[in-house]
Amino acid sequence: MSANPLLKIDGLSVYYGKFRALLDVSIDVGEGEIVSIIGANGAGKSSLLKAIVGQVPKVEGDIRFEGQSLVGRGTPDIVKQGVALVPEGRRLFPSLTVEENRTLGWETGRRGGMSREDIYGFFPVLKERRNQPANQLSGGQQQMVAFGRALLADPKLLLCDEISLGLAPVIIDELYKILPDIRDRGVSILLIEQDIGRSLAVADRFYCMLEGKVNLSGKPDEVSRDDVIKSYFGGHE
Amino acid sequence: MTGVWVNQIVQGILLGGLYAMFALGLSLSAGVMRFINIAHGDLIVLVCFLVLTLTTSLGLSPLVAAAITLPVVFAGGYLLQRLLLQRVLGQHVLPVILVTFGLSIIIQNALQGTYGADTRKVQGGVIEYATIHVAGEINVGVLPLVIFVSAILMVWLLDRLLYRTRIGARIRAVSDDVAAANLIGLPSPHIFALAMGFVGVTIAISAGFMSVWTNFDPTSGPSRLLIAFEAVVLGGLGSLWGTLIGGIILGVAQAVGGQFDAAWQVLAGHIVFLIIFALRPQGLFPRY
Amino acid sequence: MKPTILLGRLALIAGVIFLIAAPAFLSLRGMQLTTEFMSLLVLAMMWNLLAGYADIVTVGQHAFVGIGAYAFFGFLVLLGVDPYLSVLLAGVVSLIFAIPVMGLIFRLRAGYLAVGSWVVAETLMLAAGKLSAFGGGSGKSMPVSFVKSFGASTPDRYANVYWLAFALLAAAFLSTWYLLRSRIGVGLTAMRDDEEGAGAIGVNLRRARVLCFLWVAPFLGMAGAIITMQKLRVAPPASFSILDWTVYIIFIVVIGGVGSFEGPIIGTIVFFLIREFLNDLGVWHLIILGVISIGVILVEPKGIWGLLRRFVPGDLIPVGHKPRR
């Protein structure tokens, strides 16, 4: 963990009306790190990502990116700062072509760094399908477009929300293989997953969440599998 | 005798061009922002009165007057969406219906308070009376022809705007899934407002033509809204070319109905709409 | 009994006592005004039932008022039916018309449904203008002999129409209250608050919406008949008046509080007060109502009652039986 992490979340709580989805969560992501957040459904993982990009109604605590607070700023501003999200369920725009979907990423982002050709390097299949409507692609290909859209924003921090959801294992393997390559291009990754095995295999560090709180963190090879499972399901000691 | 009927159909098709123009803006706002602006017709009439004021008090030609209103109405549409409508768009359908309904009543009565209840028309000069003799009993007015061609041009341009430009892609994105658009950092309120600005432009153009071609008074808005609504539903939601066809069907229905008996003109349009709607509720060319 | 409910019952009883005693002391103009008040309250309660609970926002409510007016006129004047029976039959005709109208507009959603209902109303109004037996586009007055059939003298007639309006209001009030307290009403309330919650209660929402639409039609039709007994003539733009039977009604419900039982009552009272003061202002009267309505939606979408409800611990006329959490 570096002294000046790229992303530093400090005592974050998230509210939806009276419902509190996140309670006093503190998380760091360093430069060039893949950090994984694991937890069961409803643990508050997605709320965390939405809070980072400024899409929750009310937060307490602080979110700092490169030392600047992101709290209270609009999403377009945050994305321009270098944070991009691959949303849960991909969320492509069905009436837009593959190319148009990806171009939106470029328009909303920092407009530099990764080029279209770089993205086609990661996902060659998209090149031949670039003029098709996004909803005619398979689930795996749609996920690639969602990645491409986020990467074209040239992020310093890529947020990935449940990228394995609803995809075949072969496809998931392929996507996970690309994550270290993306990291090696200088992009830090905050990865949210329900799939403990895959997620821990690729992560440098991890946090485990339960009922809106972080209850375990560390490096994957320094924590026993049993402890992880216990934290994940909230087994009582 | 058949010549008279053919002529009526031709006139109806040309009238349909104007109706399609009314409907284009409604189609855009319904397709993108997913709400029906009940004040749509009243906004058209409001701009008609604006053109009237510019031509009578400043002595401008209708063309210049309409050109002046374009940027004004674009800005007006932008601000209306950004400051008022955006605040009531959400999961519940009631607020936006009621706000646009309230707006409709306010505009009608404000116009009546300002201009009185009299029927008005903008003087268009020679173009109003120029006709082209086609064949037999078929005569085509130059003004209706210009309007019809403009309507086709507007559909084409709007289609290009939506499907061939970057702002068009953004508009379709927020229309597809506004939550996802927000998540990836698209400024959706700004994009919606721009779309409403374009709606304003279609309102200004159709109002410019309408003010020269037909009579209007402060309460003319609702009938324009109903025509526009019918054209949009007939054409199929989200289909701009369908909207053009929908407008033409209504124009022909009215012209033919009016040929039977002048008093049946408007009613014939509504009845044809209801029949086609009963048979094909999804419209003729549904996009979704 | 909770104090708020007690207060509500007391207010209702006071209202009923006033309405029953009123004919004894009100002038003819007072009678006429109170009759109109009761008719408008029925229309407001009906629009509120549709827009506030059943998610059916119509801008075409005047269609059924007009149908009721024409049906009443037809039965009474053209067919010579007893006037009171004609009022009931006007409700039946309105209900019959509601079935195909529903078949059409229920294919539309939200704003489309709103404007669609308006198209239907406009079509029916124009069609009514083609009925030569009813005087065509310029309408027809009721011959004196028929006017006398529901009151030999003017005071008699005013009293009879008053009691009819009172009976209609009582029927509308009690039956709608009963409807909203039934399982269907609880389901509708749940739907309004939270679509998923309603599914859990197990109420078929589509059927509930159909029921509400058909529920409303006869009341609107009978209100149209009673209004015609006051106006003594039918004419397309007056009997199918969008301003009187839809625009004002929407303002009444929105200002009073849409989606509550108290809202339409408060709204109608406020509307009559405003009208007495603002009628001199001409067009400004409607502009002010429009501005107030938009303001209400932006500030407190539940209207005056929503505003009061922040200070009052419970509903005065509760309709749902919400399970305690």
Side-chain angles (χ1 to χ4, degrees):
Chain A
M1 205 185 303
S2 56
N4 273 325
L6 183 66
L7 178 76
K8 186 170 176 59
I9 295 177
D10 207 5
L12 182 73
S13 299
V14 167
Y15 298 85
Y16 294 102
K18 283 177 187 154
F19 173 69
R20 187 167 57 197
L22 226 55
L23 176 61
D24 196 21
V25 168
S26 297
I27 280 172
D28 290 348
V29 181
E31 298 229 8
E33 261 194 319
I34 298 182
V35 173
S36 162
I37 303 208
I38 55 174
N41 234 339
K45 306 187 303 293
S46 285
S47 298
L48 175 70
L49 290 197
K50 284 189 183 151
I52 296 172
V53 296
Q55 283 289 323
V56 291
K58 192 180 160 215
V59 300
E60 279 169 11
D62 200 10
I63 305 170
R64 287 191 173 268
F65 181 73
E66 295 186 308
Q68 292 183 21
S69 179
L70 298 184
V71 175
R73 287 165 65 182
T75 313
D77 195 19
I78 293 170
V79 175
K80 285 251 187 296
Q81 196 79 34
V83 180
L85 171 69
V86 182
E88 182 181 347
R90 309 182 272 278
R91 302 293 281 272
L92 297 184
F93 303 107
S95 76
L96 273 63
T97 63
V98 168
E99 191 58 34
E100 286 173 327
N101 264 289
R102 287 179 348 124
T103 307
L104 286 181
W106 188 77
E107 288 180 7
T108 51
R110 294 194 299 153
R111 307 200 179 185
M114 288 226 201
S115 70
R116 282 154 210 241
E117 289 308 316
D118 289 335
I119 310 282
Y120 288 139
F122 287 126
F123 309 110
V125 64
L126 297 185
K127 190 161 189 174
E128 56 201 72
R129 304 217 160 212
R130 62 181 181 274
N131 289 325
Q132 285 189 9
N135 58 357
Q136 287 178 7
L137 269 57
S138 72
Q141 290 166 345
Q142 290 191 21
Q143 189 62 276
M144 291 173 192
V145 178
F147 260 100
R149 184 174 67 187
L151 288 175
L152 266 178
D154 190 29
K156 292 176 216 165
L157 174 66
L158 183 68
L159 310 172
C160 301
D161 197 349
E162 308 269 14
I163 51 176
S164 61
L165 212 66
L167 298 182
V170 198
I171 310 279
I172 303 174
D173 287 342
E174 212 176 304
L175 288 168
Y176 266 91
K177 233 182 279 167
I178 293 165
L179 292 180
D181 296 344
I182 294 175
R183 190 229 351 239
D184 293 344
R185 299 280 308 247
V187 180
S188 303
I189 297 174
L190 183 60
L191 185 68
I192 280 196
E193 260 306 343
Q194 287 187 52
D195 185 332
I196 305 175
R198 269 187 227 279
S199 168
L200 293 189
V202 73
D204 298 313
R205 285 189 302 114
F206 78 96
Y207 295 84
C208 184
M209 287 181 67
L210 181 72
E211 291 169 358
K213 295 177 208 166
V214 171
N215 61 357
L216 184 71
S217 64
K219 297 192 173 176
D221 44 4
E222 290 173 359
V223 179
S224 84
R225 191 80 180 179
D226 281 354
D227 285 347
V228 173
I229 302 278
K230 215 180 274 174
S231 307
Y232 187 98
F233 291 108
H236 298 283
E237 277 101 295
Chain B
M1 192 58 203
T2 47
V4 177
W5 291 99
V6 173
N7 185 47
Q8 270 319 95
I9 290 171
V10 171
Q11 304 307 326
I13 291 172
L14 296 179
L15 183 62
L18 183 65
Y19 290 170
M21 269 190 198
F22 294 154
L24 276 182
L26 194 71
S27 180
L28 191 60
S29 58
V32 175
M33 273 82 82
R34 310 280 155 132
F35 72 89
I36 290 284
N37 177 6
I38 292 182
H40 185 75
D42 303 294
L43 289 170
I44 294 174
V45 175
L46 177 66
V47 180
C48 285
F49 275 99
L50 199 62
V51 172
L52 178 75
T53 301
L54 287 173
T55 51
T56 51
S57 64
L58 299 180
L60 299 174
S61 84
L63 206 63
V64 177
I68 291 174
T69 61
L70 277 183
V72 175
V73 179
F74 181 88
Y78 185 96
L79 293 175
L80 177 67
Q81 177 69 29
R82 196 77 195 250
L83 301 180
L84 183 62
L85 300 178
Q86 190 67 35
R87 297 178 59 176
V88 288
L89 279 178
Q91 299 140 328
H92 286 283
V93 298
L94 192 60
V96 71
I97 296 176
L98 296 180
V99 164
T100 58
F101 178 76
L103 207 58
S104 156
I105 302 297
I106 292 171
I107 294 172
Q108 281 176 41
N109 287 279
L111 286 176
Q112 199 147 337
T114 315
Y115 293 94
D118 294 347
T119 300
R120 308 296 190 100
K121 194 178 158 307
V122 171
Q123 295 309 314
V126 279
I127 191 174
E128 271 188 64
Y129 312 106
T131 55
I132 301 169
H133 180 76
V134 181
E137 293 169 68
I138 305 169
N139 290 297
V140 171
V142 171
L143 180 64
L145 195 63
V146 168
I147 292 175
F148 186 77
V149 172
S150 305
I152 293 174
L153 203 64
M154 275 168 74
V155 174
W156 185 77
L157 281 172
L158 213 51
D159 195 66
R160 298 284 298 186
L161 176 81
L162 281 178
Y163 292 95
R164 294 280 186 279
T165 67
R166 274 165 49 189
I167 179 64
R170 289 170 157 230
I171 289 174
R172 279 182 291 138
V174 292
S175 156
D176 276 353
D177 185 346
V178 65
N182 288 334
L183 276 178
I184 69 157
L186 283 173
S188 57
H190 172 68
I191 297 171
F192 278 138
L194 281 179
M196 201 61 184
F198 292 124
V199 171
V201 170
T202 71
I203 285 177
I205 297 174
S206 51
F209 283 126
M210 172 187 145
S211 64
V212 179
W213 195 9
T214 68
N215 294 328
F216 55 92
D217 66 69
T219 57
S220 300
S223 68
R224 295 335 188 251
L225 167 72
L226 296 188
I227 291 273
F229 170 82
E230 290 172 348
V232 170
V233 174
L234 277 186
L237 305 184
S239 164
L240 295 175
W241 290 103
T243 299
L244 178 68
I245 305 291
I248 290 173
I249 291 173
L250 291 171
V252 171
Q254 287 197 354
V256 171
Q259 181 64 24
F260 279 110
D261 178 350
W264 279 84
Q265 189 182 347
V266 180
L267 187 55
H270 290 317
I271 290 173
V272 166
F273 163 75
L274 289 174
I275 290 171
I276 300 179
F277 175 67
L279 300 174
R280 253 187 98 80
Q282 74 276 32
L284 298 170
F285 310 97
R287 188 181 276 278
Y288 304 114
Chain C
M1 193 181 275
K2 279 167 64 178
T4 47
I5 300 181
L6 187 66
L7 187 68
R9 295 290 147 83
L10 288 175
L12 279 181
I13 290 167
V16 170
I17 290 175
F18 170 81
L19 289 176
I20 290 175
F25 60 83
L26 280 183
S27 66
L28 279 187
R29 164 150 167 79
M31 289 282 281
Q32 197 178 20
L33 213 59
T34 316
T35 308
E36 195 192 347
F37 172 87
M38 292 189 286
S39 314
L40 284 194
L41 181 52
V42 170
L43 298 185
M45 286 172 63
M46 293 304 140
W47 192 82
N48 182 46
L49 176 62
L50 292 188
Y53 292 92
D55 200 20
I56 306 167
V57 189
T58 82
V59 190
Q61 165 151 309
H62 52 291
F64 295 101
V65 181
I67 289 170
Y70 269 71
F72 170 75
F73 191 93
F75 284 117
L76 177 69
V77 176
L78 303 180
L79 301 176
V81 177
D82 171 79
Y84 304 105
L85 186 58
S86 297
V87 174
L88 278 179
L89 289 172
V92 174
V93 171
S94 186
L95 177 64
I96 293 169
F97 268 88
I99 295 165
V101 168
M102 185 175 70
L104 277 175
I105 66 171
F106 270 35
R107 298 166 179 213
L108 300 163
R109 290 289 293 157
Y112 293 94
L113 190 153
V115 183
S117 69
W118 193 350
V119 170
V120 169
E122 186 77 6
T123 309
L124 288 170
M125 182 195 81
L126 290 169
K130 306 295 172 213
L131 301 172
S132 51
F134 295 83
S138 48
K140 198 169 182 179
S141 291
M142 208 180 281
V144 178
S145 55
F146 292 104
V147 175
K148 291 206 184 296
S149 70
F150 47 93
S153 67
T154 306
D156 272 4
R157 198 176 74 236
Y158 275 46
N160 287 341
V161 177
Y162 181 94
W163 289 116
L164 266 181
F166 179 79
L168 182 71
L169 175 61
F173 189 98
L174 291 173
S175 65
T176 306
W177 190 11
Y178 174 78
L179 174 73
L180 288 177
R181 287 179 70 90
S182 73
R183 221 165 62 85
I184 291 164
V186 175
L188 287 173
T189 310
M191 169 174 81
R192 188 196 56 196
D193 297 338
D194 169 17
E195 193 105 24
E196 284 168 28
I201 293 176
V203 170
N204 183 329
L205 291 178
R206 195 180 152 69
R207 271 168 57 189
R209 293 175 80 226
V210 168
L211 176 72
C212 285
F213 195 81
L214 297 180
W215 187 277
V216 159
F219 284 110
L220 298 178
M222 287 189 281
I226 291 171
I227 288 162
T228 308
M229 287 175 130
Q230 279 193 291
K231 303 216 166 194
L232 302 178
R233 64 176 277 113
V234 288
S239 300
F240 289 82
S241 168
I242 182 170
L243 181 66
D244 291 330
W245 321 133
T246 298
V247 176
Y248 283 142
I249 299 302
I250 292 177
F251 285 152
I252 284 174
V253 180
V254 169
I255 292 172
V258 63
S260 66
F261 216 83
E262 295 85 349
I265 303 173
I266 296 172
T268 312
I269 295 170
V270 169
F271 175 75
F272 271 77
L273 292 176
I274 290 181
R275 202 175 69 169
E276 292 308 299
F277 290 111
L278 292 186
N279 227 5
D280 306 337
L281 294 175
V283 293
W284 284 101
H285 158 226
L286 273 161
I287 295 175
I288 290 168
L289 282 174
V291 170
I292 293 177
S293 293
I294 292 180
V296 162
I297 294 158
L298 291 176
V299 177
E300 174 49 74
K302 298 226 167 285
I304 293 177
W305 178 239
L307 212 58
L308 292 175
R309 187 67 176 72
R310 295 179 186 181
F311 309 105
V312 179
D315 286 341
L316 297 177
I317 313 171
V319 285
H321 326 254
K322 270 196 185 153
R324 304 245 170 269
R325 299 200 175 189

